[in-house]
Amino acid sequence: MSGAERPGASSAGRAGFLAGLTILELGDGIAGSGATSLLVGLGAEVTAVIDPTSPHRRARPRTSTTAGPVSLLPVILDRGKRIVCGDDLDVDGIKALLARGHGHGPFDLVIVDRVEGLRGPLAAVRDIPTYASFVAGANRRAWLSISAFGLSGARRDDLATEITLAAAGGMLATVRDASWGNPLKLAGYQSLLNCAQAAALASCHAVDLARDGQPAHLDLSAVEATIAMGPTLEIATVLLNTGGPAGAKRYGAPASFYRCQDGLVRISAMEDHQWRGVVAAMDSPDWADRFATTAARIEYPEEIDRRIGEWTSTLTKTRAETLLQSHGVPATAMYSPAETLESPQLRHRGSFEPVRLPGGLEATVVGAQYRPIEVERTGDVVAEGTGSPTGRRGRSLRGLNVVEASHVLAAPLAGALLGAMGAQVTKLEDLRRLDMYRRRGPYIDQVAGGERSAYFALVNHSKRSVAFDLEESRERLDDLLANADVVIENLGGRRATALGLAAGELVKHRPDVLAVSSSGFGQDGPSASYRAYAYNLQASCCLGYLTRNEQGEQAEIDLPWADLVSGFALATIVAAWAVGPRGNDGAGVDFAMADLIVAHFNEFIAAASLSADSDAHVDRANEMFPYAPNGVYTTEDGWIAISVADDQQFAQLIKILDSESLGNPEFADAQARFERRRVLDAVLADAASTWKAGTLARDLRAAGVAAEEVVGPRQLPESAGLRSRDFFTSVEHPEWGRRRLIGIPWRPFGQPAIALGAPPRLAAEAPEC
């Protein structure tokens, strides 16, 4: 084997659930690199073959060092890995690396990122039949292939970039420029990082399947992962025929941003008791009496927003946040990366860690995905990787007994994902406080009923239910917990502790169990008691601040992205614990969604830690250096996303559009195109305006240029590409019959989509364990 080796930037790592798992990363894209970064954080040992010409290795933000300009994103993603430079490797060199393994045998897992196509040493196996044959000959244990649209189906040969994934997955159509109305991508590389989060979970699934003695090869679609962590609630309106709008605003005002003296605060009062908290925080003004019911708040959102805006305008954003939270209202201020670095909560949790850059500079990022809970027990410490030796044993996802005491979205989704991978998941439903998604609409076929909530169905498939009054039936609860391998809860610290379900309490008595407590901001610290929906976390954890147009104006993001990403992350923690090759003791886990969401913007956090004016040097709107052009353009019948990576692709763009203006010498090279991107965008918009979006996208893709029609979420269920893979997966329910739900974004190569179980009916009796 040839290829220079070096360690990645050091990380404040610790032994984790995947200690002893060896991984080879190939393809050097953000999705694959992001997935292995997450797995390193869980204890895996990763060897990454990198390509110095990969676009993300030139991405912004960048910083100047004595070693030259450095892109922050790849440095962050390479932390803790063994790096092999692949610029002098060919496919035989990759085969030799696979044959040699990690020094003690074959790699346990190989992850290949082919979202933007295979370059460098794997270019020779770019086409799918050749690639499949290569995998069949090289795979000794587990293999995960990440491609734009999957290795099967009508779109299997197509490639994608961040912005075209967002277009194909409904994300671009969901977020709009507040001033101009054109689609905006989420800040950074969220579609690809969503794919990375799905790939980390799929990796654990592949490792589990390979234990049967036959190599496992899983096929992950990046666009399916984008959908699964994207506009799911709006897609449900079509899949389950709910009618009406989707998202937070269907519950009425206040559900928006409100201007304060020094910024914005996001208020999300979806329940009557939360509205009463808003009223109390405002000293109970007379005008609020008219809006005591949800129906009234749905009917008159403009007046409510105006009145609340008048009140918040008299406060600082932090004062508005703390006052509303003190009355039980989910409300958070919008914070920039620089403000986030000063977060008392993140500092209290020890969430920040240093990253050493080439040339000796040191930046700050958010590190661990979760925090282990240390518990004193009869003189011993029970924590991750330690504890009672009776707890350390080999496990599997299949048959893993999971008790899920949760509500709304993130933790229920984690349970559904684990159930689809073979775990026996029991949803513990408290008759005294049923899940909001169980008891509220929108309803399937617009018919109200306890078994007909569309959002409940969407994130509670593949599990069973047991329902009783948890306070009245403690013995029954104890019996259920006694047989659990894993307990996941997001009930809030006070209630979870009172019921004995909080991770810190449960592991005192059950050192063999994995107990996970999920919350917005963590189990302790100044913000531990804060209520938060996804929309609040998106405001406080940089997404709201960074997703903005070219003028710096923030966009409204009406999708529960933070919840969905957190659901996949929670499932990954549980899966890693179950499949860890050395076995794992029981452990307590404190999972704070805020840590995860801020980490999705670590390159911006790092830039802010290095420079006070970092805001001036980051991509805005749909910019994505070094791609140019890279944006969304009007067509005769809609919008098209186009992303050009190099001069060869730009030449093809000129040819397809037959545009003399695009051939202007001022656009001759990539750097010039980026520097003149405003002029270039205007010329390209004019050239695209006479085309139909689907036709132009098809012709550009055929010429090797990443391009996609901007598809609305409600169009996705009828997408030919998604239908060809049966991504929207059918279930049969006794109350509402056969319907499609959002499926699992990976499957065994060459096989059908992973089957889902129907959402559970509200069960009065406990299932047998």
Side-chain angles (χ1 to χ4, degrees):
M1 185 198 77
S2 60
E5 299 182 8
R6 62 176 172 82
S10 62
S11 172
R14 62 180 190 279
F17 295 149
L18 292 179
L21 187 78
T22 58
I23 302 173
L24 177 64
E25 175 201 327
L26 301 171
D28 199 24
I30 291 174
S33 186
T36 56
S37 178
L38 293 169
L39 296 171
V40 165
L42 288 161
E45 303 167 28
V46 173
T47 298
V49 178
I50 69 163
D51 177 358
T53 68
S54 291
H56 79 285
R57 298 194 174 275
R58 292 171 283 155
R60 301 200 304 177
R62 308 170 81 185
T63 191
S64 298
T65 73
T66 56
V70 172
S71 177
L72 295 173
L73 179 62
V75 174
I76 293 165
L77 296 181
D78 287 346
R79 285 176 300 161
K81 302 176 186 177
R82 171 176 163 257
I83 302 299
V84 176
C85 190
D87 52 2
D88 58 347
L89 287 176
D90 57 14
V91 71
D92 290 331
I94 295 296
K95 289 178 179 178
L97 180 58
L98 285 163
R100 191 184 77 168
H102 60 90
H104 302 286
F107 289 102
D108 296 308
L109 170 69
V110 177
I111 297 177
V112 180
D113 183 338
R114 43 181 299 138
V115 174
E116 294 192 48
L118 292 177
R119 300 178 298 272
L122 290 180
V125 295
R126 182 181 291 123
D127 69 276
I128 291 176
T130 305
Y131 175 75
S133 177
F134 169 73
V135 175
N139 186 16
R140 296 292 178 266
R141 293 180 179 172
W143 195 289
L144 176 66
S145 296
I146 309 169
S147 57
F149 294 88
L151 297 177
S152 64
R155 300 289 307 274
R156 60 186 176 274
D157 294 317
D158 291 335
L159 310 178
T161 67
E162 169 66 26
I163 198 167
T164 63
L165 275 181
M171 293 284 277
L172 267 181
T174 304
V175 182
R176 295 296 181 103
D177 184 321
S179 295
W180 306 103
N182 57 297
L184 283 178
K185 74 177 186 68
L186 298 181
Y189 291 84
Q190 300 319 311
S191 293
L192 288 166
L193 292 176
N194 288 354
C195 185
Q197 192 69 67
L201 179 55
S203 295
C204 295
H205 193 194
V207 169
D208 192 49
L209 294 174
R211 288 179 170 172
D212 290 341
Q214 294 295 320
H217 179 197
L218 294 187
D219 161 20
L220 187 148
S221 161
V223 74
E224 291 172 8
T226 300
I227 293 168
M229 284 170 263
T232 56
L233 301 187
E234 190 163 355
I235 293 169
T237 65
V238 175
L239 293 177
L240 300 173
N241 187 32
T242 68
K249 291 187 183 298
R250 72 172 299 118
Y251 300 118
S256 191
F257 287 103
Y258 300 89
R259 180 68 58 183
C260 299
Q261 293 173 347
D262 58 347
L264 298 170
V265 64
R266 168 76 196 208
I267 305 174
S268 303
M270 299 186 192
E271 303 250 42
D272 287 343
H273 69 89
Q274 293 166 351
W275 168 250
R276 291 192 291 270
V278 173
V279 173
M282 295 188 297
D283 290 331
S284 303
D286 292 341
W287 65 262
D289 295 343
R290 295 172 48 217
F291 307 112
T293 65
T294 300
R297 296 193 297 277
I298 291 172
E299 187 173 358
Y300 300 105
E302 293 85 1
E303 182 177 350
I304 293 170
D305 284 345
R306 177 176 60 81
R307 297 275 197 172
I308 291 178
E310 291 171 354
W311 173 69
T312 59
S313 69
T314 67
L315 306 170
T316 66
K317 62 184 181 182
T318 303
R319 175 59 180 157
E321 173 187 285
T322 55
L323 183 58
L324 287 160
Q325 287 283 355
S326 71
H327 287 86
V329 180
T332 50
M334 178 183 288
Y335 294 115
S336 69
E339 291 171 316
T340 300
L341 283 165
E342 301 302 319
S343 164
Q345 181 66 15
L346 294 177
R347 287 177 174 270
H348 172 89
R349 287 178 58 78
S351 301
F352 294 118
E353 66 178 41
V355 173
R356 189 163 295 280
L357 306 176
L361 282 178
E362 194 170 87
T364 299
V365 296
V366 167
Q369 304 168 59
Y370 66 92
R371 192 173 72 175
I373 297 174
E374 295 188 355
V375 180
E376 294 292 335
R377 181 179 180 273
T378 62
D380 296 324
V381 174
V382 178
E384 176 234 336
T386 62
S388 169
T390 61
R392 185 180 290 277
R393 57 185 174 86
R395 297 177 176 84
S396 170
L397 281 168
R398 289 161 289 175
L400 189 73
N401 194 331
V402 179
V403 172
E404 172 215 306
S406 67
H407 57 99
V408 189
L409 213 169
L413 175 59
L417 293 167
L418 292 166
M421 291 186 289
Q424 298 299 310
V425 181
T426 300
K427 185 174 182 71
L428 179 58
E429 302 199 62
D430 187 351
L431 293 176
R432 189 175 295 210
R433 301 187 186 186
L434 280 178
D435 185 347
M436 182 179 86
Y437 272 13
R438 168 75 88 175
R439 57 187 164 79
R440 297 187 69 173
Y443 296 108
I444 298 167
D445 293 332
Q446 302 162 60
V447 176
E451 304 295 342
R452 304 188 68 89
S453 168
Y455 294 172
F456 182 90
L458 201 65
V459 296
N460 284 283
H461 59 76
S462 308
K463 62 183 75 166
R464 52 191 180 177
S465 165
V466 56
F468 55 90
D469 187 320
L470 302 189
E471 294 181 15
E472 294 289 330
S473 306
R474 296 302 295 269
E475 184 175 343
R476 191 174 177 186
L477 175 59
D478 291 342
D479 289 344
L480 188 66
L481 296 176
N483 292 291
D485 299 309
V486 177
V487 177
I488 305 171
E489 68 83 14
N490 70 346
L491 303 179
R494 184 180 302 174
R495 181 155 180 76
T497 299
L499 294 170
L501 292 168
E505 294 297 313
L506 194 56
V507 293
K508 291 178 182 178
H509 313 291
R510 286 288 311 279
D512 59 330
V513 76
L514 175 66
V516 182
S517 285
S518 173
S519 61
F521 295 94
Q523 298 300 304
D524 56 19
S527 301
S529 64
Y530 274 22
R531 283 80 167 173
Y533 292 117
Y535 309 95
N536 305 105
L537 288 160
Q538 289 160 193
S540 68
C541 298
C542 297
L543 175 65
Y545 179 86
L546 291 167
T547 302
R548 47 190 169 169
N549 63 16
E550 293 170 0
Q551 291 72 43
E553 299 168 318
Q554 276 73 36
E556 179 75 13
I557 304 169
D558 191 19
L559 74 163
W561 170 77
D563 274 335
L564 297 162
V565 174
S566 295
F568 274 79
L570 281 165
T572 303
I573 292 167
V574 174
W577 180 81
V579 306
R582 296 177 182 169
N584 284 295
D585 297 323
V589 168
D590 171 7
F591 177 80
M593 295 167 66
D595 288 356
L596 174 74
I597 301 309
V598 174
H600 268 247
F601 304 95
N602 258 341
E603 66 268 36
F604 300 96
I605 297 293
S609 74
L610 293 168
S611 171
D613 68 342
S614 63
D615 252 14
H617 305 288
V618 300
D619 293 338
R620 290 192 178 189
N622 292 320
E623 296 171 356
M624 200 171 72
F625 184 82
Y627 300 87
N630 188 87
V632 181
Y633 308 94
T634 55
T635 64
E636 183 180 296
D637 60 346
W639 301 88
I640 186 172
I642 299 174
S643 188
V644 172
D646 55 37
D647 293 345
Q648 182 178 356
Q649 291 180 13
F650 189 65
Q652 290 298 317
L653 177 69
I654 296 172
K655 181 179 178 180
I656 296 296
L657 288 172
D658 192 23
S659 170
E660 292 183 8
S661 298
L662 285 174
N664 190 309
E666 67 177 337
F667 306 138
D669 60 68
Q671 185 65 37
R673 289 193 294 274
F674 188 79
E675 291 173 354
R676 295 169 177 80
R677 57 193 178 278
R678 303 287 181 265
V679 176
L680 176 60
D681 282 346
V683 173
L684 180 52
D686 183 62
S689 64
T690 59
W691 286 72
K692 291 190 180 298
T695 302
L696 179 55
R698 181 199 62 206
D699 290 357
L700 288 171
R701 290 196 301 269
V705 179
E708 293 290 336
E709 181 179 5
V710 177
V711 180
R714 299 185 189 217
Q715 299 171 265
L716 290 170
E718 301 310 315
S719 160
L722 295 169
R723 275 188 168 275
S724 69
R725 281 174 57 89
D726 290 324
F727 171 60
F728 296 110
T729 308
S730 295
V731 300
E732 186 81 32
H733 191 276
E735 187 86 12
W736 35 264
R738 192 166 187 80
R739 301 297 173 92
R740 291 182 296 160
L741 301 177
I742 292 172
I744 305 302
W746 65 86
R747 79 235 357 239
F749 174 67
Q751 296 185 28
I754 293 171
L756 307 181
R761 302 182 75 180
L762 193 62
E765 296 294 328
E768 293 183 4
C769 298

